Amino acid sequence: MASAPIIPDSYNHVLAELECLDPLLSALRLDSGRLKCTCIDVSKRWLALGSSGGGLNLIQKDGWKQRLFLTHKEGAVSRVACCSHDEDYVAVATSQGLIVVWELNQERRGKPERIYVSSEHKGRKITALRWDTAALRVFVGDHVGKVSAIKINTSKQGKAAATFVMFPVQIITTVDSRVVQLDYLDGRLLISSLTRTYLCDTERQKFWKIGNKERDGEFGACFFPAGKNSGNQQPLIYCARPGSRMWEVNFDGEVQSTHQFKQLLSSPPLPVVSPSLDPHYTGSSCSPQSLSFPKLLYLTEHCVMTWTEKGIYIFLPQSVQVLLWSEVKDIQDIAVYKSELFCLHTNGKVVHLSLLLVDRCIERLMRRGFWTLAARVCCLFQNAVISCRARKNLPLERLEHLKSQLDASTQQDLTLQLEGLISKLEPLDSACSSRRSSISSHESFSVLDSGIYRVISRRGSQSDEDSNSLHSQTFSEDERLKEFPAHQEDEQVELDNVSHTSVTVEADRNETFLPFSIPLSFRSPSPLVSLQAVKESVSSFVRKTTEKIGTLHISPDARGRQEAKDDEQLQELNVNLEAPPQEKKELEPQSCQLPEEDHLRDLKAATAEAIAKLQDPLVLLEPQCMRRVLQEWLICLEEKFGSKEHSASAVKNHKTVCAEEQSAVLRENLRLGPTDGDPKDKERNSILENYTEKENTEETCVSKAMCENSTDFKGPLDCGFQVSPPCVIEPDVQKDLVELTTLCFEMSVFSCGSGDAEESSDGSLPLAASWTLGCRFMRSYFFLLDLKRLKQCIITIHANSPNVWETYIAGLKELTCHSPVALAMENEDMLKILKLLHDLGPWDDSPLLLVHAQRLYEKFGETALRPLIKFHPSLLPSDVKQLCRNDPAHFLAYLDSLVKSKPEDKRSSLLRSVLQPESVRLDWLRLAVSHDAPQRANTVDVEGNPRPRSHLFTWGYSQLILLLIKLPANFVTKEKMTDICKSHGFWTGYLFLCLELDRRIEAFTSIAHLDDLSLLNGEDGSIPETIEEWKFLLQLAQNHSTAFHHHGPQNGNAVSSGSPSCPDCITVENVALLLAKAIGPNRALPLLQECGLTLEMSERFTGVCEILRIAEKRQRALIQSMLERCDRFLWSQQA
């Protein structure tokens, strides 16, 4: 029987679905095709579920007994928020943008009643609702960035007060983009938009922007309240950042640090414990996850929770750790209360999850009779069950009882696994005593997130572990059962101990971090006492290692001299290694006396071995294994073709490997030593711990040195390129070498050991070092690189490093320095050079054309770009964008010329073919709307609305912009394009996108501001389609007519609402005429009377309506006459 993978002991929490809410949804009829759940919120008492039919269901969580149903005729319920400090109030947002506040009157046993309806955001999509934590005040955010506060006067103050007191709506602010999330704590309002996060002091009306770097997309932010035992410590703020990062911000809005979780999320997901699913754990690590956290929710007293389309993630941000993550697909929204999670899926299904300790989860499964599931969880979380903390809740007797409930005949494998787990357990007192006395036990070692093994010096007893947890267990289980009723304990989920590792919150806050944001999982709370010397060999080894590490801690002034000395020593070492002379001759291709196949025999063998390993699917699908194989092969390549610098690097790496081997031997000796608690054993553990810390310090210094070396990189031409092979290489061998060398560059394996450094983090330090190593790698092995793949890799992976691109171009220049084009570049004019390039074709997709285009651009500037369109598709727009990355306007001129050079029916297909990857569409759109465009002040007013007739301004790249926005794209991309057009005032494109996204209310509002009746035509669907839309448009015309047409004289006379001098303006009469033409005058007049607008109509309107009636009457008569003739003809044919 193959043993199932066991979850590591660092994970002691799990998400569990202990009860299914499907029967509840079925009883509420929210599982039908007609109605579904659209939003969700939860409080201590209520579970609120909004429906697509406009209903709000309030279910009492205690037994799911009582239920209130609140109806809304204003549309579907889009958002709901329960007041946490007074659960008699609920705020609801509808699809029409109205906010309805309900008072439930539960204390007086009365009927729920509406106490306020706000239309401040009418016609807009409400994206966030948040209650004040102390006062009866609701904060509202919408999709255009408007944030308001609704202050509620309760009816508990008396009916007179409720009748005569107005309910003011305060406009807090209007941010630059859609509001993603709102949070409130202690007088501070946190607003997270698509671009940045804002902190607002609602009492003093002050605003702060958090951080300097903007972002683009949905990123959440939340408050992190101070713990109960934190004293006067202020709350914190956590803001999501791109690439699985979070900002930690103090309560004044100042960014304190950036936490990186990308590498920590490479661990496999933990299963969700559910009776309907069999828990499964793969055990194989996945690639690091670069995620965008759309919302951040504070969970219990330690955790921050978020979710993506892939799963649920729970972090311990103060200690920069991942508590767990589990795969849960298609989540639309999540509401949390303490450690309870209510997940709303896109299909309307609601799932109730609880964050529990593993032993508490197993105990509750056993209490509910899920014996098989409890046994499977025990086997998966063996390490957590074996721990002494879990043994308090799951003693041997409980596990034996669990085993007795299994069917030995049908569940034999599970029974055997459970028996194996029970056999590993000792009596509780014996286990704790053994832990205190044995220093070489399994729990004496811990594995850091970086993969380094660390020996822990145990100084106390079992109480040390319990006291170092995030929350010590102060009550026994019996006391808890006495304090809380049994029927409530199933529903009340408490997070007694959320310790991911045995470390306190205070220790985590002051903890020293390894490079690449990898925290030390364990640290002793006090300094180690002085120890006596151990064996002479161990002491000598530690002393030599200390001296070696000490050389890295020199002053900046002396660093240059020290590096020079190191280089001299390495050169001497290379000279010693190159003796005797016969071997030295073998390394010099110019004086090679042996045949070529003997010279490259070792490299051929290593190449064949590497290719064979890479063909293994287990290696090919695992980036770590691929890097390891490439690193081993790269050592052989450096020995044959590497420079002295590479040789020195290989020697250093060899020393590192030796040191690691000696460290492993030392650990093995300590592990195999006596376990009788001898002081010498403790001394060995302490020395090895100190050595491990010094190793980590050495890694930090090496990383800093790599960064400093990268800053010293002056340009790509400091060193020469190896553009031709140093010796004769067979074509088949060279093909394999090119494949592996290019793969090394694509996998960022630039030298022995650099792959691990690259993989350790995504911060600026390793990226800068990686870019520098990549430039050196290209200079050394340019003759072994596939130039096409190299270019694509640089554009996609190293787009933010201009040095890498410049190095690539410099290599191409050196490769083509003697070509006819390079020679003609010095004396000939541009037309002759272009003709020469055309004659040397066809180029296909050769990178050599790129370097010639670079030379042309450097010499002739923008005028050289437009003629390059004739070389498309050999020269792609992405290549040209790289050429003129310092001046984007030049690229726009090229792209516009390229598009206009094609017929109109082929322009869209051309753009679609060059938009690779898809993300460049937004970048190109931003460039097009920001260059050769009218001033933003001329198109957008101070309130962000369109200025009248501003859509008639000339845009230099209007055709290109319209082509970009009309191409097919997903909904999120279309929304971002809409925001870009609106922010820059390109109203033609904005109206098109609003109509395409069915945001018709926004489109009509913008048309009213633009004051152009010609925009209301039926060709593009901008004419109203329903009576409600006509009413809305008439209301807009009435509101804006005075503002637009009664301020300022026109030709000396004021323009009236219905004057013929403005036949194309948005006035009530013009819109009414358009209404009469669309639906007929007989239907239009009652609608105008209903809106109270008939008095504003002139004689012109009456005359036009009479003409329309006559035309309609004649048209009906003509149709009737034609039908009668057809009828007579048909009867005559029948006769």
Side-chain angles (χ1 to χ4, degrees), residues 715-984:
L717 298 177
D718 290 346
C719 300
F721 284 80
Q722 188 73 31
V723 296
S724 59
C727 63
V728 179
I729 305 177
E730 295 177 357
D732 295 339
V733 177
Q734 183 161 0
K735 179 181 177 182
D736 294 338
L737 293 177
V738 168
E739 178 67 24
L740 292 180
T741 308
T742 308
L743 189 59
C744 284
F745 189 92
E746 292 171 342
M747 299 291 294
S748 298
V749 180
F750 300 131
S751 63
C752 180
S754 67
D756 295 336
E758 173 72 15
E759 192 179 312
S760 297
S761 174
D762 282 341
S764 59
L765 176 63
L767 280 180
S770 172
W771 294 337
T772 304
L773 290 173
C775 294
R776 295 175 181 173
F777 188 89
M778 278 193 287
R779 288 196 298 270
S780 301
Y781 305 108
F782 202 83
F783 66 100
L784 289 179
L785 289 170
D786 186 337
L787 300 180
K788 296 179 184 178
R789 288 170 54 187
L790 183 63
K791 181 191 72 172
Q792 190 63 29
C793 178
I794 294 174
I795 292 177
T796 55
I797 299 179
H798 302 281
N800 297 327
S801 173
N803 286 340
V804 179
W805 177 262
E806 291 173 4
T807 304
Y808 174 70
I809 293 297
L812 291 176
K813 286 182 177 179
E814 187 163 341
L815 184 64
T816 60
C817 60
H818 301 295
S819 67
V821 179
L823 297 176
M825 197 70 66
E826 300 176 359
N827 303 320
E828 302 294 341
D829 58 3
M830 187 176 67
L831 295 178
K832 292 183 179 180
I833 297 172
L834 289 172
K835 185 178 183 302
L836 179 60
L837 281 175
H838 185 270
D839 295 337
L840 292 175
W843 292 95
D844 296 331
D845 55 345
S846 172
L848 301 182
L849 177 61
L850 176 64
V851 71
H852 297 322
Q854 176 74 31
R855 289 191 175 102
L856 279 170
Y857 178 71
E858 290 174 354
K859 184 173 182 179
F860 302 102
E862 181 185 0
T863 56
L865 293 180
R866 296 183 184 269
L868 292 179
I869 61 176
K870 65 176 64 176
F871 296 101
H872 181 270
S874 299
L875 193 66
L876 296 175
S878 57
D879 301 332
V880 179
K881 190 173 186 298
Q882 286 290 334
L883 296 182
C884 49
R885 63 185 178 277
N886 296 326
D887 198 341
H890 294 174
F891 167 71
L892 279 176
Y894 165 82
L895 185 61
D896 189 61
S897 301
L898 177 63
V899 171
K900 291 180 179 178
S901 66
K902 305 295 181 182
E904 290 187 1
D905 57 340
K906 296 183 179 180
R907 292 177 181 177
S908 297
S909 59
L910 170 66
L911 266 182
R912 194 181 301 114
S913 64
V914 299
L915 284 174
Q916 299 295 335
E918 184 73 13
S919 59
V920 303
R921 178 186 305 191
L922 297 177
D923 298 334
W924 292 4
L925 180 61
R926 290 190 187 94
L927 288 176
V929 297
S930 57
H931 289 81
D932 197 7
Q935 295 292 329
R936 188 177 185 275
N938 296 332
T939 58
V940 183
D941 61 14
V942 293
E943 297 179 358
N945 297 318
R947 290 191 180 274
R949 306 302 176 108
S950 59
H951 63 292
L952 301 177
F953 281 110
T954 301
W955 293 70
Y957 300 103
S958 58
Q959 294 185 18
L960 178 62
I961 298 172
L962 291 174
L963 284 174
L964 286 172
I965 65 177
K966 289 181 180 180
L967 288 178
N970 55 43
F971 182 80
V972 176
T973 303
K974 288 288 186 179
E975 278 195 331
K976 293 179 180 179
M977 296 169 74
T978 306
D979 296 336
I980 292 172
C981 291
K982 182 179 181 181
S983 62
H984 290 82

Side-chain angles (χ1 to χ4, degrees), residues 512-554:
T512 302
F513 289 90
L514 287 172
F516 318 129
S517 302
I518 300 176
L520 292 174
S521 300
F522 297 86
R523 183 168 293 279
S524 302
S526 62
L528 296 176
V529 296
S530 301
L531 300 176
Q532 298 178 353
V534 291
K535 294 181 180 180
E536 185 62 24
S537 59
V538 176
S539 300
S540 176
F541 170 70
V542 174
R543 184 171 59 255
K544 291 179 180 179
T545 307
T546 305
E547 293 173 357
K548 175 184 175 182
I549 297 174
T551 59
L552 297 174
H553 297 276
I554 58 179

Side-chain angles (χ1 to χ4, degrees), residues 1069 1073 1081 1085 1094 1097-1109:
E1069 184 170 308
L1073 287 174
L1085 285 176
T1094 54
M1097 303 306 166
S1098 64
E1099 294 181 359
R1100 171 174 170 264
F1101 175 79
T1102 305
V1104 172
C1105 286
E1106 290 297 328
I1107 294 174
L1108 289 175
R1109 286 193 185 96

